[in-house]
Amino acid sequence: MQQPALPVPGPLALLDTTEGFVRRKKISLWFVGSLLVLSVFILTIGLAATTRTENVTVGGYYPGIILGFGSFLGIIGINLVENRRQMLVAAIVFISFGVVAAFCCAIVDGVFAARHLETRPLTSGRCQFYSSGVGYLHDVYQTEVTCHSLNGKCQLKVKSNTCYCCDLYSCQSTEYSPTYYEFVGVSSCRDVLHLHRLLWASTVLNVLGLLLGIVTAAVLGAFKDIVPLSQLAYGTSAPPQILYNPAHHILAYAGFGPTPATLPTCSPYPLPLQMSSGHTPGGTLLASSVLSKGV
């Protein structure tokens, strides 16, 4: 009985031994798990920074959501046997979007922390905190405070639970100041310093997420086309089983063409005709004619 031939994998599949496949799987899980942990840190730091104040909006937590979802799909895809490639492709797509978001948020948060937050008046204690007390809504109740500058003094309207810095506020200028001089919805001016540190931490984490996301997408892209030798994916329809029988094979080929007519067996040497005294001439002629027909 002849064994059926094994199906050949697709042209994009890369065969690997079981040990090599397990090693690549562990490496992929390590990168995806690291990216998932980093995305949780990005999400946590970003949410802490954006909820620290009310008038400063931070979007550094968006890459954490996208990268976390892509990492979750990657962990599921690595442990799948069927439809593994499709799941890993989806994970790579989400991780790629997360990398782009991390790049944009790192630039935005870094520029905001460097240009729009001035911490020197805060660290020197030249900023004041105003609170209206218990029972007042800080977004409704406002008061006027006096700010002194080199050219005189001016009035500044602030809300309750606000940290304001008169050194950063220009009394005579009517243009918009790029530097924030008040921070609404804080419990003290120390929260503004925490916000500054959280912004730089979010920037650094987004940069790390950018680099780790690129490497993780490359690792998953190389892993999704690897097929272990012990788990070759066969087709849905099994190849037909061919039974080999030598007798049938010979009979089939023997009966393929028409059998030629059987020729009479003749001696390769001519038979001499001898005249005997007991034979008649007619018998000699009859024998000669038969021999000629046989030849």
Side-chain angles (χ1 to χ4, degrees):
M1 180 182 295
Q2 185 179 5
Q3 297 294 333
L6 294 176
V8 181
L12 298 179
L14 301 176
L15 298 180
D16 199 355
T17 59
T18 305
E19 293 79 7
F21 179 79
V22 172
R23 180 175 55 84
R24 291 174 181 267
K25 182 178 180 180
K26 289 182 179 180
I27 294 175
S28 302
L29 283 175
W30 188 87
F31 275 100
V32 174
S34 301
L35 185 61
L36 180 61
V37 174
L38 182 60
S39 63
V40 172
F41 278 105
I42 293 175
L43 180 61
T44 304
I45 298 298
L47 290 177
T50 194
T51 56
R52 184 65 61 177
T53 62
E54 293 184 359
N55 60 331
V56 177
T57 303
V58 181
Y61 62 92
Y62 291 110
I65 299 176
I66 305 175
L67 290 175
F69 187 69
S71 303
F72 180 72
L73 292 180
I75 293 176
I76 295 177
I78 290 174
N79 293 285
L80 284 179
V81 177
E82 297 180 357
N83 300 326
R84 183 184 63 193
R85 190 175 189 277
Q86 291 80 358
M87 187 65 71
L88 291 180
V89 168
I92 292 173
V93 170
F94 276 96
I95 291 175
S96 301
F97 282 115
V99 166
V100 176
F103 175 75
C104 297
C105 291
I107 294 178
V108 172
D109 291 346
V111 170
F112 185 86
R115 292 181 56 87
H116 298 283
L117 287 181
E118 182 63 47
T119 59
R120 286 178 294 179
L122 293 168
T123 54
S124 60
R126 297 180 61 85
C127 296
Q128 291 79 29
F129 176 73
Y130 171 76
S131 178
S132 59
V134 181
Y136 293 92
L137 298 176
H138 63 271
D139 57 345
V140 176
Y141 188 83
Q142 294 183 356
T143 187
E144 289 186 355
V145 295
T146 303
C147 285
H148 298 274
S149 62
L150 297 177
N151 298 328
K153 60 181 181 179
C154 59
Q155 300 295 321
L156 175 64
K157 289 185 177 182
V158 295
K159 297 180 180 180
S160 179
N161 296 337
T162 300
C163 177
Y164 61 94
C165 300
C166 292
D167 294 347
L168 303 177
Y169 178 71
S170 180
C171 295
Q172 287 77 20
S173 177
T174 57
E175 298 179 358
Y176 174 76
S177 176
T179 305
Y180 279 70
Y181 58 87
E182 64 174 355
F183 303 92
V184 184
V186 296
S187 58
S188 64
C189 291
R190 191 177 298 273
D191 290 347
V192 183
L193 293 175
H194 293 335
L195 173 63
H196 186 263
R197 299 188 186 100
L198 289 174
L199 283 175
W200 280 116
S202 177
T203 302
V204 173
L205 289 177
N206 280 321
V207 172
L208 292 178
L210 167 67
L211 299 178
L212 186 58
I214 293 174
V215 177
T216 304
V219 171
L220 292 180
F223 179 74
K224 66 181 176 63
D225 294 325
I226 296 178
V227 178
L229 293 176
S230 60
Q231 297 178 0
L232 284 178
Y234 290 90
T236 55
S237 60
Q241 188 175 3
I242 302 174
L243 298 179
Y244 178 77
N245 194 333
H248 293 174
H249 185 73
I250 293 174
L251 289 177
Y253 278 93
F256 181 77
T259 305
T262 304
L263 297 177
T265 304
C266 300
S267 175
Y269 301 99
L271 297 176
L273 298 178
Q274 298 179 355
M275 296 296 295
S276 59
S277 59
H279 291 158
T280 60
T284 303
L285 293 177
L286 180 61
S288 300
S289 62
V290 170
L291 181 60
S292 63
K293 289 182 180 180
V295 175

